[in-house]
């Protein structure tokens, strides 16, 4: 006598035969393929979750490292010396004011503001005369579609420009303040969802700049 709740081999074979799910049948093979596909999708989902968690941790650590570095480098004496040297280069016309190059710089902010390009932006900011293009640069910074992992690059760009030009932050911060109040013209072009994302990023940048002693508002 078979234990209650169990199915003998003969019963199992009879059941699977009646449903057309015998090993080797088309239905049995399709069911196996579905299971394998579901297992593969679950494996990819787990991998993506782990990658996202790793990126969040890396971004947080990068942000901490940035704050520590910014506090030590953004002293009034350091910034004053850097601005004086940069102003001298501008007066001596040793920096490029070429419209094509400055336009390319603004375009690159919108399309290629990534962590791997940080050093390139620092170099371009130091070798170009951008004193007449704050409006264009500010708009590019605000409208950039930024991934969380590339957040330190944006902060580095802002602090680099601030260290070179005393009038840069006074042109950027009011735009940030208007965005937080939903009064900036760019806000009207966004969907409610995208506006929330922009305000969240703006608040994060604005707060970080404050913590790094770059403004007191």
């Amino acid at each position: 006598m078979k234990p209650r709740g169990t199915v003998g081999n003969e019963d199992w074979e009879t059941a699977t035969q009646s449903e057309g799910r015998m090993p080797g049948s088309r239905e049995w093979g399709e069911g196996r393929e579905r299971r394998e596909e579901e297992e593969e999708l679950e494996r990819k989902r787990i991998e993506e979750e782990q990658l996202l968690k790793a990126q969040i941790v890396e971004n947080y650590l990068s942000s901490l490292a940035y704050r520590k570095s910014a506090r030590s480098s953004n002293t009034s004496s350091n910034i004053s010396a850097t601005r004086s040297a940069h102003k001298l280069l501008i007066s001596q016309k040793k920096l490029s004011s070429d419209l094509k190059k400055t336009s390319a710089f603004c375009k690159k902010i919108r399309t290629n503001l990534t962590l791997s390009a940080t050093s390139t932006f620092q170099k371009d900011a130091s070798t170009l005369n951008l004193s007449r293009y704050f409006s264009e640069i500010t708009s590019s910074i605000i409208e950039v579609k930024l991934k969380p992992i590339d957040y330190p690059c944006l902060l580095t760009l802002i602090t680099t420009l601030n260290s070179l030009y005393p009038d840069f932050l006074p042109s950027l911060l009011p735009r940030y303040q208007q965005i937080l109040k939903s009064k900036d013209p760019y806000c009207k072009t966004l969907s409610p969802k995208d506006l929330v994302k922009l305000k969240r990023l703006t608040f994060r940048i604005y707060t970080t700049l404050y913590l790094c002693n770059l403004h007191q508002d």
Side-chain angles (χ1 to χ4, degrees), residues 72-201:
S72 61
S73 62
N74 289 325
T75 62
S76 57
S77 58
N78 287 346
I79 291 179
S80 178
T82 303
R83 287 174 177 173
S84 297
H86 192 71
K87 185 177 181 180
L88 179 62
L89 292 175
I90 292 176
S91 65
Q92 294 175 344
K93 297 183 179 181
K94 292 185 178 181
L95 301 180
S96 176
S97 300
D98 183 73
L99 179 60
K100 185 176 181 180
K101 291 182 179 180
T102 52
S103 298
F105 179 78
C106 293
K107 182 179 180 180
K108 191 158 54 176
I109 293 175
R110 296 175 188 264
T111 60
N112 193 39
L113 194 65
T114 60
L115 191 62
S116 59
T118 303
S119 59
T120 300
F121 279 105
Q122 287 179 298
K123 179 181 177 181
D124 289 346
S126 300
T127 56
L128 294 173
N129 180 4
L130 301 170
S131 56
R132 298 179 181 179
Y133 302 96
F134 292 160
S135 177
E136 292 83 352
I137 294 172
T138 297
S139 294
S140 296
I141 287 175
I142 287 174
E143 297 173 18
V144 65
K145 300 296 186 283
L146 198 68
K147 295 180 180 179
I149 195 172
D150 300 321
Y151 170 73
C153 180
L154 176 57
L155 288 173
T156 300
L157 174 62
I158 292 173
T159 53
T160 298
L161 290 170
N162 175 64
S163 69
L164 300 173
Y165 301 99
D167 297 328
F168 173 69
L169 270 188
S171 70
L172 176 64
L173 293 180
R175 291 288 304 272
Y176 277 157
Q177 292 167 352
Q178 291 296 96
I179 288 173
L180 293 174
K181 297 176 183 177
S182 299
K183 293 183 178 181
D184 189 86
Y186 181 60
C187 296
K188 299 179 181 180
T189 68
L190 301 175
S191 67
K193 182 178 180 180
D194 288 337
L195 180 57
V196 169
K197 290 181 180 179
L198 176 62
K199 294 176 78 171
R200 185 184 299 124
L201 175 62

